[in-house]
Amino acid sequence: MNAIKKSIYNVFFKTSGVFFILFCTIDFLYAQDGNDLVKALTGAGYENVSRSVGETEEIILLENSLWRGNGDGVREIVKLVDKFPMIPGKSRRVIILRNKVPQVSLLLPAGEFGSDWIVSYELGMSWEPVPEKKFMNNSRWKADIVLYPQLSLRNQKFHKIYDVLFNIAPTLEIAPFRGMKVVGQIVIPVFNEYGPLYEEVRPGYLVVQQMFRVENLFVQASVGNFNQNRWGMDLTLFRPFTRGWLQYFALRGEVGLTGSSYFYDWEWHYGPTKLFTWNVGGSYYNPQYNVQCDLRVEKFLAGDIGVRADMTRHFKRTSIGFYVMKNDRDNVDGGFHFSILIPPMKLKRGRHIRVAPAKYFNLEYKAAGLFYNGRSYKTLPGQNRAEDNFNPNYIKSQLPNN
């Protein structure tokens, strides 16, 4: 009887030992795969990389600081992540950041390696904000010197088709804290037919901007010197819907309190921040053709109130669209706009400073050429429909096999 008990105990302990060693080995191998994945992402040039494993999900956070187009960046991220095996029984979620603020997530359910990713604004129940020290290849205090081209056309003379203004605007961009961006710009005239106000080297955008995300509400607060000769403060809200038939719609709103601001004869001339402007509207995104339709009511800089409608088609590296506008002063205007990606397609940042051309060349053509009415300002130089497009339907269309 004792011999039987001893045999049972030996089998039990040996079996337990084997299972324990096997369990630890598997856990160690997947931990190594996770470390290798983080190293592969940071080695490729992606920033703010973090990986964690929850009860049901493996969560990978990173920022596309390598590829200049959002679609290119997410597609290459997915290709790289797919090279590493998933943890058995757990889904995999990749969250794309912008200045460490989550923009969109890609979810691959457990047991569906190689299948289609589910793309949405939802971050899942397992996601939690990541401490600053856990980001690998952290972008904090790294700087970009971006060379923005500025082209303006004005049709206000009978004897001449267009007045042309072309500048080069070197811009220092730094991200010191999560969600914060500090921008300082110098405008260098290259060709000027607009007059003496535009002939001097002068400051352009001087902005501190802070971005937040509260659930599915994106908040952006800016203070500083904007374009259109304005300075002051601005608050922008964006609320996309995420479920059912409403997932193709979003609401937008913006309020600003600004004053006049311009540089002439090497002096800064500014007025009090007493002009209150606003706009409110919504958008619809058609996933079949990657067409975004925007409609908003707006109080413009000249005090006129009007309605503006835009339709924009997003391609792989270009966004092209047109608009119509009517205000309460019987002004009707329309035209087209486009944003074209400027080569190179990808550009890795070094340890501290990267010098690069602007990601996109942007131009908006106004048919009526209204000089005062129907105008609004922008808070950042890189603000355009292509670079700001993180719509899940667009991201989904750019993935492999789509």
Side-chain angles (χ1 to χ4, degrees):
M1 187 68 179
N2 290 334
I4 295 175
K5 288 182 177 180
K6 188 175 181 180
S7 299
I8 293 174
Y9 286 142
N10 287 336
V11 171
F12 174 76
F13 283 116
K14 288 180 180 179
T15 306
S16 300
V18 170
F19 276 108
F20 178 76
I21 293 172
L22 183 62
F23 176 79
C24 291
T25 303
I26 293 174
D27 189 61
F28 174 76
L29 289 175
Y30 277 104
Q32 288 298 105
D33 282 336
N35 293 333
D36 290 341
L37 173 56
V38 171
K39 290 179 181 178
L41 291 169
T42 56
Y46 299 106
E47 295 179 344
N48 303 324
V49 181
S50 177
R51 176 183 176 270
S52 62
V53 179
E55 293 184 3
T56 60
E57 288 184 347
E58 174 195 19
I59 303 173
I60 303 162
L61 287 79
L62 76 164
E63 192 153 340
N64 172 34
S65 53
L66 177 64
W67 292 85
R68 291 157 65 77
N70 294 333
D72 290 331
V74 176
R75 181 178 61 255
E76 297 304 318
I77 288 169
V78 167
K79 287 182 181 179
L80 184 53
V81 170
D82 276 342
K83 294 179 180 179
F84 294 83
M86 296 174 63
I87 301 175
K90 295 184 186 292
S91 57
R92 170 175 280 172
R93 186 182 295 273
V94 176
I95 298 178
I96 307 300
L97 307 176
R98 190 179 194 185
N99 200 10
K100 299 178 186 172
V101 177
Q103 301 297 307
V104 66
S105 81
L106 298 87
L107 176 65
L108 192 60
E112 296 191 19
F113 180 75
S115 300
D116 288 341
W117 291 76
I118 300 170
V119 188
S120 72
Y121 287 111
E122 299 286 352
L123 302 179
M125 299 297 294
S126 301
W127 181 83
E128 294 182 0
V130 176
E132 190 76 27
K133 63 182 179 180
K134 289 190 176 182
F135 283 118
M136 303 300 294
N137 197 18
N138 201 320
S139 66
R140 189 174 187 179
W141 292 111
K142 291 183 179 179
D144 284 310
I145 298 178
V146 185
L147 306 177
Y148 286 96
Q150 297 179 342
L151 175 64
S152 300
L153 304 173
R154 186 171 67 186
N155 184 6
Q156 288 190 316
K157 297 178 180 178
F158 291 106
H159 66 282
K160 191 175 185 180
I161 299 178
Y162 290 114
D163 286 330
V164 178
L165 176 67
F166 180 68
N167 306 315
I168 295 293
T171 305
L172 178 65
E173 301 180 356
I174 303 175
F177 305 107
R178 188 193 305 263
M180 178 177 286
K181 192 170 188 178
V182 180
V183 173
Q185 184 182 74
I186 297 295
V187 179
I188 302 174
V190 177
F191 187 81
N192 171 35
E193 293 182 328
Y194 272 40
L197 186 62
Y198 303 91
E199 67 185 8
E200 297 175 349
V201 176
R202 59 194 183 276
Y205 290 91
L206 301 171
V207 180
V208 177
Q209 186 176 88
Q210 180 68 53
M211 181 189 298
F212 307 91
R213 177 170 178 172
V214 184
E215 298 295 335
N216 287 327
L217 177 65
F218 295 81
V219 183
Q220 188 172 276
S222 307
V223 60
N225 196 65
F226 311 139
N227 71 341
Q228 297 290 349
N229 296 326
R230 308 306 299 175
W231 80 284
M233 59 197 74
D234 180 88
L235 180 67
T236 302
L237 305 175
F238 172 60
R239 174 59 166 93
F241 297 102
T242 58
R243 297 180 183 178
W245 61 272
L246 283 175
Q247 65 182 298
Y248 305 114
F249 294 86
L251 297 177
R252 301 174 185 270
E254 182 177 9
V255 293
L257 186 63
T258 62
S260 63
S261 171
Y262 64 94
F263 288 81
Y264 182 67
D265 197 20
W266 303 102
E267 290 186 11
W268 181 29
H269 302 265
Y270 63 93
T273 55
K274 61 181 181 180
L275 176 62
F276 179 72
T277 56
W278 51 265
N279 69 73
V280 61
S283 64
Y284 164 76
Y285 198 95
N286 180 284
Q288 183 176 359
Y289 299 105
N290 280 325
V291 172
Q292 181 172 321
C293 302
D294 297 279
L295 180 66
R296 69 176 186 261
V297 180
E298 181 170 359
K299 181 182 179 183
F300 299 103
L301 291 175
D304 52 323
I305 298 176
V307 177
R308 172 165 170 154
D310 289 79
M311 180 177 289
T312 307
R313 174 77 185 273
H314 295 284
F315 297 92
K316 184 177 181 180
R317 293 169 181 159
T318 305
S319 295
I320 301 174
F322 61 89
Y323 79 96
V324 292
M325 184 278 299
K326 187 179 188 308
N327 65 8
D328 59 354
R329 299 179 182 177
D330 293 328
N331 296 128
V332 178
D333 202 355
F336 62 86
H337 46 73
F338 58 81
S339 300
I340 301 175
L341 191 67
I342 301 174
M345 296 302 107
K346 67 175 181 178
L347 191 62
K348 190 174 182 179
R349 178 153 54 183
R351 283 193 170 186
H352 301 292
I353 297 178
R354 172 175 56 187
V355 180
K359 290 183 179 180
Y360 289 89
F361 175 72
N362 310 296
L363 183 67
E364 180 173 281
Y365 174 79
K366 298 177 178 293
L370 301 176
F371 191 67
Y372 296 105
N373 297 335
R375 290 185 174 270
S376 55
Y377 59 82
K378 292 183 179 180
T379 57
L380 285 179
Q383 187 177 336
N384 62 74
R385 292 172 176 81
E387 190 168 348
D388 296 338
N389 182 22
F390 284 93
N391 188 285
N393 297 288
Y394 172 75
I395 298 298
K396 176 73 173 178
S397 71
Q398 302 302 303
L399 296 182
N401 303 321
N402 281 283

